[in-house]
Amino acid sequence: AKGTGKSTLLRYTVNALLGAVPSVALIDLDTGQPELSPPGLLSLTVLTEPLLAPPADHVAHTQHTLAYWTGDADASRCDP
């Protein structure tokens, strides 16, 4: 659901963890509104810096450790 604070919680959690450990592995499973990748992509990203910019800025400057294209930005329409 849009507007429920999922991205805010994600950023807060990642940023808080980065205050305690040198890196955080983030698995982004939201194919419709991903934080770190283009729509339609499942990704694993190791972060070493806080998430401070809007998601569009993250997409342009993120190198994924692993990524899988689902074939659609809406995972409910993808074949299993």
Side-chain angles (χ1 to χ4, degrees):
K2 291 184 180 183
T4 59
K6 296 182 304 289
S7 293
T8 301
L9 177 62
L10 169 77
R11 289 178 192 201
Y12 176 81
T13 303
V14 166
N15 294 346
L17 287 169
L18 285 172
V21 296
S23 62
V24 174
L26 173 65
I27 300 173
D28 197 344
L29 301 174
D30 187 347
T31 59
Q33 292 181 294
E35 183 72 22
L36 299 173
S37 63
L41 199 67
L42 303 176
S43 65
L44 168 66
T45 308
V46 177
L47 301 168
T48 57
E49 296 182 15
L51 296 174
L52 302 174
D57 291 344
H58 301 157
V59 172
H61 299 100
T62 300
Q63 185 171 15
H64 305 294
T65 302
L66 183 66
Y68 175 76
W69 170 248
T70 64
D72 198 325
D74 182 353
S76 67
R77 296 192 303 246
C78 295
D79 291 331

